[in-house]
């Protein structure tokens, strides 16, 4: 036990810094979610913006928590021989003299977890019992707007008195140590009759992360469940990378179509059912609404874990030069390539390129997507 807790004449101060550090794993999870969103989700504007927001929020909070650790702010609670200096509500800086404290106890209440913005149950919190007269004259701000949504978890009505709750979770101190520090000073410096009563033996309950302590069997079952989820993720780690390599924004889909129209052309089914290769001069307008991804096993590149070959088949809505609609199709595949750096050294890489399609192959792909010619397989013709 810390001897400062029972030394009633030594001032004690408690701040939020330790609580902020305890939230770093949650902030790291938010940043990791942003990174996953950035790496593995389609690179559209909304996904990129969301990933930036999550990364900035998570990393920003971590930086702030460690900054507050090295540059502590004003203490939230100070215990002195004259009383309790209370700054928890951020709207008041009030001294609660020990003579105004009628009792000290432990409470369990439902309230707001400020940083996680949700309801929580706070157990074994130390409470100072004061009169409503003292509360109204020195603490109450009178406006529910200024009180905020956390006020009721800090000040709890108990008959004709008010319980001022000191949350050990927020002050980075154990419930037992906080109770000992407060009660020992209240008994030493208060002249209230209740302070002369014998102390009631009390020990806080052992609690886990979510307000309960799992048994050994539940802990083992939880670890086994995490292993069951983690092993497939580790074994198939290349699959999400293959999926991510096919992230195509509307702009990139249009760029591949423009490259085909300006180059070798795109296979398309005309209004009369014929298949033709259309170039830039044959098309008045074009759009690529979506691409269908396909990922297959790559036996040649597989090692301890399977490798994959990603591809995408894109359907293009075209306006033929006659004004009639046409349906085009093209396929994108990932190929091994290399690039040269500033020093002239070449490095292996992978690139997404368009794969040449003959008319019969393009016709089969269109038919598989519901764009078959009426009356059976269509006649094919070059433009």
């Amino acid at each position: 036990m810390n001897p400062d807790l029972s030394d009633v004449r030594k001032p004690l101060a408690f701040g939020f810094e330790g609580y902020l550090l305890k939230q770093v794993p949650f902030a790291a999870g938010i940043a990791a979610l942003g990174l996953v969103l950035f790496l593995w989700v389609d690179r559209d504007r909304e996904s990129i913006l969301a990933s930036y927001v999550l990364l900035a929020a998570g990393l920003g909070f971590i930086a702030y928590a460690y900054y507050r650790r090295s540059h502590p702010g004003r203490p939230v609670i100070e215990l002195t021989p004259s009383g309790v200096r209370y700054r928890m509500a951020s709207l008041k800086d009030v001294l609660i003299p020990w003579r105004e404290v009628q009792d000290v106890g432990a409470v369990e209440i439902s309230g707001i977890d400020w940083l996680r913005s949700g309801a929580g149950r706070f157990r074994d919190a130390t409470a100072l019992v004061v009169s409503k007269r003292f509360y109204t004259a020195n603490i109450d701000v009178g406006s529910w707007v200024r009180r905020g949504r956390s006020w009721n978890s800090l000040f709890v009505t108990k008959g004709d008195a008010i319980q001022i709750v000191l949350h050990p979770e927020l002050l980075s101190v154990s419930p037992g140590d906080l109770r000992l520090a407060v009660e020992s000073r209240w008994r030493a410096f208060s002249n209230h009759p209740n302070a002369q009563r014998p102390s009631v033996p009390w020990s806080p309950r052992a609690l886990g992360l979510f307000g309960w302590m799992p048994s050994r069997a539940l802990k083992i079952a939880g670890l086994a469940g995490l292993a069951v989820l983690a092993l497939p993720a580790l074994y198939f780690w290349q699959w999400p990378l293959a999926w991510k390599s096919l992230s195509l924004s509307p702009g990139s889909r249009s760029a591949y179509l423009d490259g085909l129209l300006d180059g070798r052309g795109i296979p398309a089914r005309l209004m009369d059912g014929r298949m033709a290769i259309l170039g830039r001069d044959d098309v008045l307008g074009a759009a690529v609404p979506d691409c269908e991804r396909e990922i297959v096993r790559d036996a040649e590149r597989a090692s301890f874990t399977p490798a994959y070959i990603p591809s995408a088949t894109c359907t293009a809505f075209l306006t033929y030069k006659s004004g009639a609609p046409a349906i085009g199709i093209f396929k994108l595949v990932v190929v091994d390539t290399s690039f040269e750096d500033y020093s002239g050294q070449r490095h292996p890489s992978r690139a997404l390129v368009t794969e040449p399609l003959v008319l019969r192959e393009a016709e089969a792909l269109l038919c598989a997507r519901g764009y078959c010619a009426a009356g059976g397989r269509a006649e094919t013709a070059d433009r």
Side-chain angles (χ1 to χ4, degrees):
M1 181 183 69
N2 187 344
D4 293 342
L5 298 176
S6 56
D7 185 355
V8 296
R9 296 198 173 275
K10 187 166 186 177
L12 289 180
F14 304 95
F16 277 155
E17 290 75 22
Y19 178 72
L20 294 176
L21 287 176
K22 288 182 180 180
Q23 311 310 311
V24 165
F26 294 94
I30 292 174
L33 179 61
L35 184 61
V36 169
L37 193 63
F38 180 79
L39 293 178
W40 289 347
V41 179
D42 291 344
R43 299 297 300 276
D44 53 55
R45 181 181 302 176
E46 292 77 10
S47 298
I48 293 176
L49 179 60
S51 66
Y52 285 165
V53 170
L54 292 174
L55 282 169
L59 297 179
F61 181 88
I62 293 173
Y64 175 71
Y66 280 99
Y67 174 82
R68 283 290 301 270
R69 181 186 182 185
S70 58
H71 299 79
R74 296 176 66 189
V76 179
I77 300 293
E78 291 183 79
L79 304 181
T80 67
S82 57
V84 180
R85 178 68 64 178
Y86 191 88
R87 302 187 183 94
M88 181 75 75
S90 75
L91 298 176
K92 286 279 188 176
D93 185 347
V94 61
L95 176 66
I96 307 171
W98 292 117
R99 65 177 181 273
E100 295 290 345
V101 179
Q102 301 175 2
D103 201 357
V104 174
V107 296
E108 176 180 326
I109 63 173
S110 296
I112 298 298
D113 190 334
W114 291 267
L115 292 182
R116 299 175 203 168
S117 299
R121 180 165 292 278
F122 299 93
R123 302 175 186 269
D124 299 322
T126 298
L128 308 177
V129 181
V130 300
S131 65
K132 282 189 176 180
R133 172 193 54 79
F134 178 84
Y135 166 78
T136 303
N138 297 276
I139 298 176
D140 190 18
V141 295
S143 169
W144 66 269
V145 175
R146 295 180 61 197
R147 288 175 180 175
R149 61 176 184 167
S150 63
W151 191 272
N152 290 335
S153 64
L154 299 174
F155 307 103
V156 181
T157 302
K158 182 182 180 182
D160 58 352
I162 299 293
Q163 292 178 311
I164 302 175
V165 182
L166 311 181
H167 293 275
E169 296 91 347
L170 303 180
L171 302 176
S172 302
V173 62
S174 70
D177 285 349
L178 182 60
R179 172 74 178 270
L180 173 62
V182 173
E183 186 172 357
S184 60
R185 285 160 176 77
W186 171 62
R187 292 185 179 278
F189 301 118
S190 175
N191 56 6
H192 195 280
N194 290 338
Q196 311 309 317
R197 294 182 310 180
S199 179
V200 178
W202 171 83
S203 60
R205 288 163 289 181
L207 300 174
L209 178 63
F210 300 103
W212 60 285
M213 181 63 71
S215 64
R216 178 180 176 84
L218 285 177
K219 290 180 181 178
I220 295 175
L223 291 175
L226 290 177
V228 169
L229 296 175
L231 289 177
L234 293 174
Y235 184 71
F236 296 106
W237 67 272
Q238 293 193 58
W239 193 94
L241 297 180
W243 181 270
K244 178 66 179 66
S245 66
L246 295 175
S247 296
L248 298 169
S249 64
S252 62
R253 296 195 296 263
S254 298
Y256 283 112
L257 176 59
D258 290 338
L260 286 172
L261 292 175
D262 294 330
R264 61 174 176 265
I266 179 174
R269 186 182 298 285
L270 304 180
M271 191 66 178
D272 58 8
R274 294 181 304 146
M275 293 293 297
I277 302 294
L278 304 183
R280 177 67 67 184
D281 295 338
D282 303 310
V283 174
L284 299 178
V288 186
D290 197 10
C291 294
E292 181 179 327
R293 306 183 196 189
E294 182 181 7
I295 299 177
V296 297
R297 288 281 188 98
D298 184 355
E300 295 182 359
R301 294 176 55 244
S303 55
F304 294 105
T305 59
Y308 301 91
I309 301 175
S311 64
T313 303
C314 304
T315 304
F317 294 161
L318 309 173
T319 302
Y320 193 47
K321 58 186 176 182
S322 64
I327 301 295
I329 195 164
F330 62 94
K331 191 171 184 179
L332 299 172
V333 295
V334 176
V335 298
D336 294 319
T337 182
S338 62
F339 68 93
E340 186 175 305
D341 63 17
Y342 66 93
S343 63
Q345 294 184 344
R346 300 199 67 82
H347 302 273
S349 179
R350 308 196 82 192
L352 190 62
V353 301
T354 55
E355 181 181 65
L357 294 176
V358 298
L359 287 175
R360 292 186 182 277
E361 184 179 4
E363 182 183 18
L365 290 174
L366 282 172
C367 193
R369 284 156 181 76
Y371 299 106
C372 293
R377 190 166 65 87
E379 175 188 0
T380 60
D382 291 334
R383 57 183 175 92

